[in-house]
Amino acid sequence: MRKIVIAGNWKMNKTVAESVKLATDVVAAAQGIRSVVVIIAPTYLALAKVAEVVQGSNVKLAAQDVHWENQGAFTGKVSADMLKEIGVEYVIIGHSEQRTYFGETDATVNKKVRKVQSLDMTPIICIGETLAERKDGRLESVLTTQVNGAYEGLAADDALRTIIAYEPVWAIGTGVTASDDEAQQAHAFVRSLLAIRYGEDVAQSISIQYGGSMKPENAAGLLAQTDIDGGLIGGAALKADSFLGIVTPGESISK
Ligand code: 13P
Protein backbone atom coordinates (compact mmCIF):
# COMPACT_ATOMS: atom_id res chain seq x y z
CA MET A 1 0.00 0.00 0.00
CA ARG A 2 1.26 3.46 -0.87
CA LYS A 3 0.61 6.57 1.14
CA ILE A 4 -1.00 9.63 -0.39
CA VAL A 5 1.40 12.46 0.39
CA ILE A 6 0.43 16.09 -0.18
CA ALA A 7 3.13 18.68 0.41
CA GLY A 8 2.95 22.45 0.23
CA ASN A 9 6.14 24.00 -1.15
CA TRP A 10 5.93 27.62 -0.09
CA LYS A 11 9.03 28.53 -2.11
CA MET A 12 10.31 32.08 -1.39
CA ASN A 13 6.99 33.28 -0.02
CA LYS A 14 5.79 34.43 3.42
CA THR A 15 7.65 36.25 6.18
CA VAL A 16 8.15 34.41 9.45
CA ALA A 17 4.99 35.96 10.91
CA GLU A 18 3.01 35.09 7.78
CA SER A 19 4.40 31.56 7.83
CA VAL A 20 3.32 31.05 11.44
CA LYS A 21 -0.16 32.27 10.53
CA LEU A 22 -0.46 29.99 7.50
CA ALA A 23 0.92 27.01 9.41
CA THR A 24 -1.57 27.66 12.22
CA ASP A 25 -4.41 27.73 9.67
CA VAL A 26 -3.21 24.53 7.99
CA VAL A 27 -2.90 22.71 11.34
CA ALA A 28 -6.46 23.72 12.25
CA ALA A 29 -7.87 22.77 8.85
CA ALA A 30 -6.03 19.43 8.75
CA GLN A 31 -7.22 18.27 12.17
CA GLY A 32 -9.66 15.74 10.74
CA ILE A 33 -7.27 14.39 8.09
CA ARG A 34 -6.50 10.74 8.82
CA SER A 35 -4.88 8.91 5.92
CA VAL A 36 -3.17 11.61 3.82
CA VAL A 37 0.33 12.61 4.91
CA VAL A 38 0.21 16.43 5.04
CA ILE A 39 3.51 18.30 4.78
CA ILE A 40 4.41 21.99 4.64
CA ALA A 41 7.74 23.43 3.50
CA PRO A 42 8.30 27.04 4.59
CA THR A 43 11.52 28.98 3.97
CA TYR A 44 14.56 28.06 6.04
CA LEU A 45 14.06 31.24 8.05
CA ALA A 46 10.58 30.25 9.18
CA LEU A 47 11.25 26.55 9.86
CA ALA A 48 12.04 26.83 13.57
CA LYS A 49 8.94 28.87 14.37
CA VAL A 50 6.70 26.71 12.18
CA ALA A 51 8.14 23.61 13.87
CA GLU A 52 6.62 24.89 17.12
CA VAL A 53 3.27 25.37 15.42
CA VAL A 54 3.05 21.88 13.91
CA GLN A 55 4.34 20.06 17.00
CA GLY A 56 1.79 17.50 18.17
CA SER A 57 -0.38 17.97 15.06
CA ASN A 58 -0.78 15.74 12.02
CA VAL A 59 1.12 18.23 9.82
CA LYS A 60 4.74 17.39 9.05
CA LEU A 61 7.60 19.75 8.36
CA ALA A 62 9.80 19.84 5.26
CA ALA A 63 12.74 21.97 4.17
CA GLN A 64 13.03 23.17 0.58
CA ASP A 65 16.69 22.20 0.16
CA VAL A 66 19.78 21.14 2.11
CA HIS A 67 23.55 20.98 1.70
CA TRP A 68 25.27 17.59 1.68
CA GLU A 69 28.14 18.53 4.01
CA ASN A 70 27.84 18.59 7.81
CA GLN A 71 29.24 22.09 8.32
CA GLY A 72 31.91 24.47 7.10
CA ALA A 73 32.62 27.23 4.63
CA PHE A 74 29.48 27.04 2.49
CA THR A 75 28.07 30.55 2.70
CA GLY A 76 24.30 30.67 2.47
CA LYS A 77 23.77 26.95 3.01
CA VAL A 78 22.09 24.88 5.72
CA SER A 79 23.07 21.35 6.75
CA ALA A 80 20.92 18.31 7.35
CA ASP A 81 21.85 18.15 11.05
CA MET A 82 20.56 21.69 11.51
CA LEU A 83 17.25 20.74 9.91
CA LYS A 84 16.98 17.55 11.92
CA GLU A 85 17.58 19.39 15.19
CA ILE A 86 14.49 21.55 14.77
CA GLY A 87 12.15 18.73 13.76
CA VAL A 88 12.27 18.64 9.96
CA GLU A 89 11.20 15.20 8.68
CA TYR A 90 11.21 15.69 4.89
CA VAL A 91 13.52 17.56 2.53
CA ILE A 92 12.66 18.62 -1.01
CA ILE A 93 15.66 17.88 -3.21
CA GLY A 94 16.36 18.71 -6.86
CA HIS A 95 13.45 21.04 -7.48
CA SER A 96 13.49 22.34 -11.05
CA GLU A 97 14.04 25.88 -9.75
CA GLN A 98 17.19 24.64 -7.97
CA ARG A 99 18.26 22.87 -11.15
CA THR A 100 17.55 25.87 -13.41
CA TYR A 101 18.77 28.79 -11.29
CA PHE A 102 21.22 27.34 -8.78
CA GLY A 103 23.22 24.69 -10.57
CA GLU A 104 21.65 21.58 -9.03
CA THR A 105 22.71 18.44 -10.89
CA ASP A 106 21.77 14.78 -10.61
CA ALA A 107 25.07 14.26 -8.81
CA THR A 108 24.30 16.88 -6.13
CA VAL A 109 20.77 15.50 -5.82
CA ASN A 110 22.26 12.08 -5.07
CA LYS A 111 24.62 13.48 -2.42
CA LYS A 112 21.77 15.32 -0.73
CA VAL A 113 19.51 12.26 -0.77
CA ARG A 114 22.18 10.17 0.95
CA LYS A 115 22.88 12.84 3.55
CA VAL A 116 19.22 13.33 4.40
CA GLN A 117 18.65 9.58 4.67
CA SER A 118 21.67 9.18 6.94
CA LEU A 119 19.77 11.31 9.47
CA ASP A 120 16.50 9.43 9.00
CA MET A 121 14.74 12.22 7.16
CA THR A 122 12.82 11.49 3.96
CA PRO A 123 13.92 13.05 0.67
CA ILE A 124 11.26 14.27 -1.77
CA ILE A 125 13.18 13.90 -5.03
CA CYS A 126 11.96 16.23 -7.78
CA ILE A 127 12.23 15.29 -11.43
CA GLY A 128 10.58 16.51 -14.61
CA GLU A 129 11.12 17.61 -18.18
CA THR A 130 11.02 21.04 -19.78
CA LEU A 131 8.61 21.82 -22.59
CA ALA A 132 11.46 21.74 -25.13
CA GLU A 133 12.53 18.30 -23.93
CA ARG A 134 8.97 16.99 -24.16
CA LYS A 135 8.51 18.45 -27.65
CA ASP A 136 11.81 16.89 -28.75
CA GLY A 137 10.56 13.47 -27.68
CA ARG A 138 13.05 13.35 -24.82
CA LEU A 139 10.61 12.90 -21.92
CA GLU A 140 11.64 9.32 -21.19
CA SER A 141 15.38 9.87 -21.57
CA VAL A 142 15.29 12.92 -19.25
CA LEU A 143 13.33 11.05 -16.58
CA THR A 144 15.60 8.03 -16.90
CA THR A 145 18.72 10.14 -16.37
CA GLN A 146 17.19 11.97 -13.41
CA VAL A 147 15.91 8.84 -11.67
CA ASN A 148 19.12 6.88 -12.22
CA GLY A 149 21.19 9.84 -11.05
CA ALA A 150 19.16 10.40 -7.89
CA TYR A 151 19.11 6.70 -6.90
CA GLU A 152 22.74 5.93 -7.81
CA GLY A 153 24.17 3.68 -5.10
CA LEU A 154 20.91 3.48 -3.10
CA ALA A 155 19.92 0.00 -1.95
CA ALA A 156 16.29 -1.13 -2.11
CA ASP A 157 15.83 -0.38 1.61
CA ASP A 158 16.94 3.20 1.00
CA ALA A 159 14.74 3.53 -2.07
CA LEU A 160 11.76 2.57 0.08
CA ARG A 161 12.48 5.61 2.24
CA THR A 162 12.13 8.10 -0.62
CA ILE A 163 9.31 10.02 -2.24
CA ILE A 164 9.43 11.19 -5.86
CA ALA A 165 7.75 14.35 -7.13
CA TYR A 166 7.19 14.33 -10.88
CA GLU A 167 6.89 17.99 -11.82
CA PRO A 168 6.80 18.79 -15.53
CA VAL A 169 8.64 22.12 -15.65
CA TRP A 170 6.15 23.56 -18.16
CA ALA A 171 3.32 23.08 -15.67
CA ILE A 172 5.00 24.77 -12.71
CA GLY A 173 3.48 28.13 -11.86
CA THR A 174 1.98 28.43 -15.34
CA GLY A 175 -1.61 27.46 -14.65
CA VAL A 176 -1.16 24.76 -17.32
CA THR A 177 -1.61 21.39 -15.65
CA ALA A 178 -0.62 18.12 -17.28
CA SER A 179 -3.79 16.29 -18.24
CA ASP A 180 -4.72 13.29 -16.09
CA ASP A 181 -3.49 11.02 -18.92
CA GLU A 182 -0.23 12.85 -19.52
CA ALA A 183 0.56 12.80 -15.82
CA GLN A 184 -0.42 9.14 -15.41
CA GLN A 185 1.76 8.09 -18.34
CA ALA A 186 4.80 9.87 -16.94
CA HIS A 187 4.19 8.45 -13.46
CA ALA A 188 3.82 4.91 -14.82
CA PHE A 189 7.08 5.37 -16.69
CA VAL A 190 8.87 6.58 -13.54
CA ARG A 191 7.52 3.58 -11.62
CA SER A 192 8.78 1.29 -14.37
CA LEU A 193 12.26 2.81 -13.92
CA LEU A 194 12.07 2.04 -10.20
CA ALA A 195 10.95 -1.51 -11.02
CA ILE A 196 13.97 -2.02 -13.26
CA ARG A 197 16.30 -0.86 -10.48
CA TYR A 198 14.59 -2.44 -7.46
CA GLY A 199 11.90 -4.85 -8.63
CA GLU A 200 8.15 -4.50 -8.84
CA ASP A 201 7.40 -4.78 -5.10
CA VAL A 202 9.67 -1.88 -4.18
CA ALA A 203 8.45 0.19 -7.12
CA GLN A 204 4.86 -0.35 -6.05
CA SER A 205 5.65 0.90 -2.53
CA ILE A 206 7.19 4.28 -3.42
CA SER A 207 4.85 7.29 -3.46
CA ILE A 208 5.12 9.45 -6.59
CA GLN A 209 3.63 12.91 -6.26
CA TYR A 210 2.49 15.10 -9.14
CA GLY A 211 3.43 18.80 -9.13
CA GLY A 212 2.60 21.65 -11.47
CA SER A 213 -0.43 23.93 -11.16
CA MET A 214 -2.28 21.38 -9.03
CA LYS A 215 -5.32 22.96 -7.40
CA PRO A 216 -8.63 21.95 -5.81
CA GLU A 217 -10.32 21.92 -9.25
CA ASN A 218 -7.99 19.30 -10.74
CA ALA A 219 -6.78 17.42 -7.65
CA ALA A 220 -9.42 14.68 -7.57
CA GLY A 221 -8.85 13.75 -11.23
CA LEU A 222 -5.09 13.59 -10.85
CA LEU A 223 -5.17 11.71 -7.54
CA ALA A 224 -7.53 9.12 -9.02
CA GLN A 225 -4.84 8.02 -11.50
CA THR A 226 -3.28 4.64 -10.76
CA ASP A 227 0.27 5.88 -10.30
CA ILE A 228 -0.30 9.35 -8.84
CA ASP A 229 0.13 9.20 -5.07
CA GLY A 230 -0.16 12.79 -4.00
CA GLY A 231 0.97 16.25 -4.91
CA LEU A 232 3.71 18.81 -4.45
CA ILE A 233 1.85 22.10 -4.43
CA GLY A 234 3.20 25.59 -5.00
CA GLY A 235 0.77 28.48 -5.48
CA ALA A 236 -2.32 26.68 -4.18
CA ALA A 237 -0.50 25.82 -0.93
CA LEU A 238 -0.20 29.48 0.06
CA LYS A 239 -3.75 29.52 1.43
CA ALA A 240 -4.99 26.93 3.91
CA ASP A 241 -8.38 26.49 2.24
CA SER A 242 -7.04 25.81 -1.26
CA PHE A 243 -4.32 23.54 0.16
CA LEU A 244 -6.89 21.54 2.08
CA GLY A 245 -9.03 21.51 -1.04
CA ILE A 246 -6.29 19.32 -2.52
CA VAL A 247 -5.64 17.26 0.61
CA THR A 248 -9.27 16.34 1.27
CA PRO A 249 -9.95 14.40 -1.98
CA GLY A 250 -6.90 12.28 -1.12
CA GLU A 251 -8.65 10.98 2.01
CA SER A 252 -11.01 8.78 0.01
CA ILE A 253 -8.31 7.26 -2.21
CA SER A 254 -6.20 4.23 -1.49
CA LYS A 255 -3.42 2.85 -3.68
P1 13P B 1 2.75 25.38 -8.66
O1 13P B 1 1.77 24.53 -7.91
O2 13P B 1 2.72 26.83 -8.27
O3 13P B 1 2.66 25.17 -10.13
O4 13P B 1 4.22 24.87 -8.22
C1 13P B 1 4.50 23.53 -8.27
C2 13P B 1 5.82 23.32 -7.65
O5 13P B 1 6.85 23.68 -8.19
C3 13P B 1 5.86 22.66 -6.33
O6 13P B 1 7.15 22.31 -5.98
Side-chain angles (χ1 to χ4, degrees):
M1 247 220 5
R2 296 192 297 274
K3 286 191 173 137
I4 303 288
V5 186
I6 312 266
N9 174 10
W10 296 359
K11 306 192 179 183
M12 195 174 74
N13 292 293
K14 307 284 178 191
T15 65
V16 174
E18 289 166 348
S19 298
V20 166
K21 167 84 172 74
L22 177 55
T24 306
D25 291 348
V26 171
V27 164
Q31 249 172 13
I33 300 297
R34 292 283 165 263
S35 60
V36 175
V37 180
V38 182
I39 303 171
I40 54 177
T43 66
Y44 280 146
L45 197 62
L47 276 172
K49 283 279 185 203
V50 170
E52 292 170 13
V53 176
V54 301
Q55 201 174 27
S57 80
N58 55 1
V59 178
K60 310 284 187 192
L61 193 59
Q64 297 177 18
D65 189 27
V66 66
H67 196 275
W68 58 85
E69 293 289 348
N70 290 334
Q71 72 219 2
F74 300 100
T75 301
K77 300 300 173 203
V78 168
S79 76
D81 322 37
M82 296 168 191
L83 298 176
K84 178 82 181 179
E85 184 194 37
I86 58 166
V88 168
E89 292 182 67
Y90 298 83
V91 183
I92 297 169
I93 296 175
H95 192 280
S96 71
E97 288 145 20
Q98 280 290 328
R99 293 178 190 258
T100 304
Y101 305 130
F102 304 111
E104 184 92 275
T105 64
D106 294 324
T108 57
V109 167
N110 181 257
K111 287 201 242 189
K112 291 175 180 182
V113 168
R114 288 159 178 260
K115 186 71 209 178
V116 158
Q117 288 203 314
S118 75
L119 291 170
D120 280 333
M121 294 184 288
T122 303
I124 298 177
I125 302 167
C126 301
I127 57 172
E129 82 291 358
T130 64
L131 189 56
E133 288 164 343
R134 178 173 272 258
K135 282 190 169 157
D136 286 354
R138 294 175 52 213
L139 169 65
E140 295 195 346
S141 70
V142 168
L143 295 180
T144 303
T145 304
Q146 291 176 338
V147 168
N148 287 340
Y151 285 83
E152 175 74 39
L154 263 68
D157 282 355
D158 301 323
L160 285 169
R161 298 187 294 125
T162 63
I163 293 169
I164 291 184
Y166 167 66
E167 300 200 296
V169 178
W170 46 273
I172 295 177
T174 58
V176 181
T177 319
S179 69
D180 295 349
D181 278 355
E182 282 171 329
Q184 165 56 25
Q185 275 175 28
H187 280 238
F189 180 72
V190 171
R191 202 176 302 287
S192 76
L193 294 172
L194 295 171
I196 292 167
R197 288 189 75 89
Y198 300 111
E200 194 59 35
D201 283 356
V202 172
Q204 286 297 334
S205 302
I206 297 174
S207 295
I208 307 177
Q209 301 174 307
Y210 169 81
S213 298
M214 198 165 171
K215 43 189 179 258
E217 296 76 38
N218 58 30
L222 287 161
L223 293 173
Q225 303 303 308
T226 316
D227 289 293
I228 300 183
D229 312 315
L232 185 55
I233 322 300
L238 296 176
K239 291 206 169 97
D241 56 352
S242 56
F243 185 51
L244 266 292
I246 298 169
V247 170
T248 306
E251 282 281 276
S252 50
I253 292 171
S254 60
K255 302 273 162 133

